[in-house]
Amino acid sequence: MSEREVAVTGIGMVTPAGLGREATWDGLCAGVGVGARDAALAGLPVDFSCAVPGFDGDALLGRKITWRNDRFIQLALVAAREAVADAGLDPAAWDGPRVAVVLGSASNGGDRWPQEYRNLAEGRVSAISPTALLRSLPNMVAGEISADLQALGPCLTTSTACASGATAIGTARDLIRAGACDIALAGGTDCARVPMGSAAFHRMQALSTRRDDPAGASRPFDADRDGFVLSEGSAVLVLERPEHARARRARVRGWLCGYGASGDGYHATRPDPHGAGARRALLAALADARAQPQDVHHVNAHGTSTALNDRVEADLLAEVFRTAPPVTSLKGVIGHALGAAGAVDAACSVLSLQRQLIPPTANLDRLDAGMELDVVAKRPRQHRMETVVSNAFGFGGQNAVLLFRTA
């Protein structure tokens, strides 16, 4: 590979499909939605979500860290540690100022803000936690990872709604290309399973209301889809300059070869109905990788399970690829983790390349009429592939597309 490509040498994931990279992969390949009633959302019109199973921040990180950080930061710390270990890197030995951190987040979470607002409303200012602000600021996820792993290079957070995680990976790639660092820890994190999030998205008519079937509620590209399912999670990739990876004889899981980003300039929540912005991002990623549409063997779709977004994305893929390569949406299994979604999709795109296997789209019983897509459903599909595209599109018309090639 040329110096334009960036090596992916480590992957860490914490998702509703499983705690850790391999557990997540196995859960995604099982192809069964994990949506369930959520006690944190009890009494709301939409009272179900997709939660990370068995996540115990105190056990995994220690009480001191969990006390000062909201859940979205805790998830990212666990994913980052796994990614670094997977890459065979030792933070005690690396050149810290040459290691960057770029994390994306859309909603952060704010899981403990309701109690702080109650304290304020009841005049109990002295009861407000001194960590109330710090534990929920979006920049703190990058700051906490920097401190935890002594990654002392460029340290920043990206926020492009549901494209945040993919934007972070693309931004980290650009930092490596620019020579600002040799290694970057890049990905996304979010915890959308909070009452205000559920209530607000419900008022926007964005959420599925299948309270009688939470596990079957997220239905990307299905004719009977009625909205997305709130989720949470984190994924972190270790990216390295090729020369750096070669010098330490690192195992390379895949190569990040292309990144494209764009803005729709159309509407706060609805995508451009013609997919013009998303198309620009996709074509930019292809051009950046010096690839043609026919070179792409698989698309990890954004596939939110909303009526308009799935239709626009399906039309886009049919237009650009003519005969669309096999497509999947992980959100059928794990719901929509907002700012983490693009990073989870990117991580699984690399694993798909490594294992030549595409996880299925859960809950796809009947492809919506007129969608000219080959959607992998019901069971994983063995598929020979060298190039995968991963799409991420967000509110505000913010789009990010990543292109990976096999190692």
Side-chain angles (χ1 to χ4, degrees), residues 14 18 21 32 41 56-57 67 88 97 100 116 149 188 199 223 238 274 281 291 300 338 342 361 365 384 387 393:
V14 179
R21 180 187 59 258
V32 178
L41 307 178
D56 185 339
W67 173 76
E116 304 298 359
L149 296 171
V238 176
H274 303 294
N300 195 309
L338 305 185
T361 302
D365 296 327
R384 292 185 62 183
T387 303
F393 311 132

Side-chain angles (χ1 to χ4, degrees), residues 293-313:
Q294 60 267 27
D295 298 327
V296 175
H297 304 122
H298 167 47
V299 175
N300 195 309
H302 188 57
T304 59
S305 185
T306 56
L308 191 55
N309 282 272
D310 285 8
R311 169 62 62 183
V312 169
E313 186 172 17

Side-chain angles (χ1 to χ4, degrees), residues 168-213:
I169 293 169
T171 300
R173 190 284 307 265
D174 289 347
L175 287 172
I176 291 175
R177 275 192 183 177
C181 57
D182 298 318
I183 301 170
L185 312 182
T189 189
D190 250 326
C191 176
R193 303 170 36 250
V194 294
M196 182 56 76
S198 177
F201 279 121
H202 172 67
R203 291 288 294 151
M204 294 169 61
Q205 299 182 329
L207 298 183
S208 171
T209 57
R210 292 175 184 266
R211 297 181 66 247
D212 59 335
D213 182 23

Side-chain angles (χ1 to χ4, degrees), residues 138-161:
N139 74 293
M140 290 305 294
V141 64
E144 285 286 346
I145 290 174
S146 172
D148 188 65
L149 296 171
Q150 287 299 285
L152 308 178
C155 178
L156 62 147
T157 300
T158 61
S159 186
T160 53

Side-chain angles (χ1 to χ4, degrees), residues 148-393:
D148 188 65
L149 296 171
Q150 287 299 285
L152 308 178
C155 178
L156 62 147
T157 300
T158 61
S159 186
T160 53
C162 303
S164 297
T167 301
I169 293 169
T171 300
R173 190 284 307 265
D174 289 347
L175 287 172
I176 291 175
R177 275 192 183 177
C181 57
D182 298 318
I183 301 170
L185 312 182
T189 189
D190 250 326
C191 176
R193 303 170 36 250
V194 294
M196 182 56 76
S198 177
F201 279 121
H202 172 67
R203 291 288 294 151
M204 294 169 61
Q205 299 182 329
L207 298 183
S208 171
T209 57
R210 292 175 184 266
R211 297 181 66 247
D212 59 335
D213 182 23
S218 184
R219 314 179 68 83
F221 304 114
D222 189 81
D224 294 325
R225 66 191 183 280
D226 72 327
F228 69 83
V229 176
L230 289 172
S231 181
E232 65 178 349
S234 180
V236 175
L237 276 59
V238 176
L239 306 180
E240 288 191 59
R241 188 165 51 86
E243 183 180 332
H244 188 276
R246 283 194 294 267
R248 69 180 190 89
R249 298 181 179 179
R251 175 208 53 203
V252 177
R253 286 190 176 274
W255 295 95
L256 172 56
C257 302
Y259 168 55
S262 70
D264 281 0
Y266 177 75
H267 191 271
T269 59
R270 295 196 300 271
D272 180 332
H274 303 294
R279 185 177 188 275
R280 285 194 298 274
L282 174 54
L283 294 180
L286 289 168
D288 186 40
R290 299 171 181 172
Q292 299 297 318
Q294 60 267 27
D295 298 327
V296 175
H297 304 122
H298 167 47
V299 175
N300 195 309
H302 188 57
T304 59
S305 185
T306 56
L308 191 55
N309 282 272
D310 285 8
R311 169 62 62 183
V312 169
E313 186 172 17
D315 290 347
L316 165 70
L317 296 179
E319 175 197 354
V320 171
F321 294 107
R322 306 294 179 175
T323 301
V327 172
T328 195
S329 170
L330 307 180
K331 295 178 183 67
V333 175
I334 59 175
H336 195 350
L338 305 185
V344 173
D345 290 348
C348 288
S349 295
V350 175
L351 294 178
S352 284
L353 281 172
Q354 266 200 304
R355 298 168 188 191
Q356 298 289 285
L357 187 67
I358 302 173
T361 302
N363 301 316
L364 179 59
D365 296 327
R366 183 166 56 96
L367 188 65
D368 200 356
M371 289 188 177
E372 299 176 12
L373 296 178
D374 175 15
V375 182
V376 178
K378 305 302 181 185
R379 59 188 61 84
R381 183 188 299 181
Q382 289 289 155
H383 185 62
R384 292 185 62 183
M385 48 188 152
E386 295 181 359
T387 303
V388 172
V389 157
S390 183
N391 290 339
F393 311 132

